[in-house]
Amino acid sequence: MDRMLIPDLPIIDIPYVAIDTETTGLDPSGGDRVVEVAALRFHRGNVLDSFVTLVNPLTPVKRPAFIVHGITDGMLAGAPTFSDIF
């Protein structure tokens, strides 16, 4: 049996991945897109692996989003698109 499926396994022993994203705004149905993706793999409080990349949204970053994350259109110009990294 896979150790991950044992119900009495202490939570500290369960590896997990934390994912964070930044976007061009807060309305995906209105055209807002991802501009940064970060994923960190943890086990017992230690970072085992990480993946962080800017993402070219092919649309401008809205000012309110820029104020939150500081990512500019210029920073994204050479970044891969979401389909490139997916």
Side-chain angles (χ1 to χ4, degrees):
M1 176 180 229
D2 186 342
R3 186 165 165 75
M4 302 265 307
L5 300 177
I6 300 172
D8 61 350
L9 187 65
I11 197 163
I12 189 93
D13 290 329
I14 300 172
Y16 63 95
V17 174
I19 298 172
D20 182 43
T21 60
E22 299 296 344
T23 63
T24 60
L26 297 175
D27 185 11
S29 64
D32 288 324
R33 300 289 179 256
V34 172
V35 297
E36 184 179 40
V37 174
L40 282 78
R41 187 165 58 108
F42 293 91
H43 185 242
R44 296 182 107 0
N46 298 305
V47 176
L48 302 179
D49 199 9
S50 65
F51 173 80
V52 180
T53 187
L54 291 174
V55 180
N56 187 333
L58 304 174
T59 189
V61 176
K62 294 178 181 170
R63 179 131 178 90
F66 163 75
I67 291 169
V68 171
H69 54 56
I71 298 171
T72 66
D73 293 332
M75 295 167 66
L76 302 171
T81 63
F82 192 83
S83 63
D84 290 336
I85 65 164
F86 184 71

